[in-house]
Amino acid sequence: MTKEEIIAHFDLKEHPEGGYYHEVYRSKDLIAQEALGQKFSGDRAYSTSIYFLLTSENFSAFHKVNQDESWHFYQGTEIELHMISPEGEHSKILIGHDYKNGQVPQFVVPGGYWFAAKVLQPNSFAFVGCGVAPGFDFDDFVLAKRGDLVKAFPNLKELIQEFTRA
Ligand code: GUN
C-alpha cells in the first residue's frame, strides 16, 4: 500500500508532533491519579497504543511524555530516533528491518526523555506502532519550544533546530 492508502485505510490523522496517527487501543480500566503521583494530572488508562506513520517529507518534532514509550516497526524504511536525556545526553537509534546493520524492530524511549524522529530514505515512509502505560493523555504531552530547549542544551543547538518548528 502507498502511504496515502495506509492513511486512508487506518483513518490516520495529523499529529501535533508531525506524522499521522490513529489510536488503536485504550484500556477501559483506569489507574487512579492518587496511585500515579504528581507527574500525572488525573486518572489514566492502564495503557494505550497507536498506529503512527511518518513520511520523509516531514519529521516528528522533539517532545516528551511521562511514560516509557515502546515503538514497533511494521513497514517502510528505517526511522532515525533521537533522544535527549534529562541530563542532556544525546543518543540515537535506527528503528527498522535491516537487523544486520544495527536496526531494531522494537525500541523503548524512556519516560521524561525528549525525543524526535525522521525517515532517512527520500520519497518514503515508516509505519510503526507506539504504546504507553499508563495510557496516553495530551495533558502529559509536551512539544518542545525551540528556544527553551536550546537554552537547556546549548551544545545540541543544531540537532534541536533540525527537529523543532517553533
Ligand atoms: N496518542 C496520541 N498521541 C500519542 C503519542 O504521541 N504517543 C502515544 N503512545 N500515544 C498517543
Side-chain angles (χ1 to χ4, degrees), residues 2 4 9 26 29 35 50 64 89 93 118 122 147 149 152-153:
T2 64
E4 290 83 7
H9 186 79
R26 172 169 292 269
D29 289 322
I50 58 167
K64 66 177 179 178
E89 193 184 329
I93 184 88
K118 74 172 172 185
L149 210 58
F153 309 114

Side-chain angles (χ1 to χ4, degrees), residues 17-76:
E17 76 193 53
Y20 301 86
Y21 79 110
H22 182 98
E23 191 173 271
V24 181
Y25 171 71
R26 172 169 292 269
S27 72
K28 283 196 189 70
D29 289 322
L30 297 176
I31 308 169
Q33 196 270 325
E34 303 85 79
L36 291 168
Q38 294 306 313
K39 275 198 290 190
F40 293 87
S41 57
D43 301 350
R44 296 286 179 269
Y46 285 178
S47 76
T48 57
S49 66
I50 58 167
Y51 291 136
F52 183 62
L53 185 143
L54 193 59
T55 71
S56 51
E57 290 79 42
N58 205 341
F59 61 87
S60 162
F62 270 114
H63 64 285
K64 66 177 179 178
V65 290
N66 291 327
Q67 309 90 322
D68 298 343
E69 181 170 72
S70 65
W71 288 54
H72 301 259
F73 192 84
Y74 299 143
Q75 186 187 338

Side-chain angles (χ1 to χ4, degrees), residues 16-163:
E17 76 193 53
Y20 301 86
Y21 79 110
H22 182 98
E23 191 173 271
V24 181
Y25 171 71
R26 172 169 292 269
S27 72
K28 283 196 189 70
D29 289 322
L30 297 176
I31 308 169
Q33 196 270 325
E34 303 85 79
L36 291 168
Q38 294 306 313
K39 275 198 290 190
F40 293 87
S41 57
D43 301 350
R44 296 286 179 269
Y46 285 178
S47 76
T48 57
S49 66
I50 58 167
Y51 291 136
F52 183 62
L53 185 143
L54 193 59
T55 71
S56 51
E57 290 79 42
N58 205 341
F59 61 87
S60 162
F62 270 114
H63 64 285
K64 66 177 179 178
V65 290
N66 291 327
Q67 309 90 322
D68 298 343
E69 181 170 72
S70 65
W71 288 54
H72 301 259
F73 192 84
Y74 299 143
Q75 186 187 338
T77 68
E78 74 273 21
I79 278 182
E80 184 177 71
L81 186 120
H82 290 268
M83 287 156 283
I84 306 174
S85 75
E87 295 76 32
E89 193 184 329
H90 170 229
S91 57
K92 63 181 176 179
I93 184 88
L94 291 174
I95 303 173
H97 280 162
D98 191 357
Y99 313 142
K100 278 187 183 165
N101 286 309
Q103 298 175 18
V104 293
Q106 181 180 152
F107 186 77
V108 181
V109 180
Y113 277 43
W114 294 103
F115 61 108
K118 74 172 172 185
V119 172
L120 294 178
Q121 309 290 332
N123 304 315
S124 83
F125 68 90
F127 184 45
V128 302
C130 300
V132 291
F136 185 88
D137 191 299
F138 273 107
D139 254 13
D140 307 322
F141 174 87
V142 186
L143 195 59
K145 291 196 183 83
R146 178 179 286 169
D148 292 350
L149 210 58
V150 170
K151 210 170 177 182
F153 309 114
N155 58 320
L156 299 174
K157 185 175 177 185
E158 279 180 24
L159 177 79
I160 293 165
Q161 281 174 339
E162 179 182 351
F163 287 100

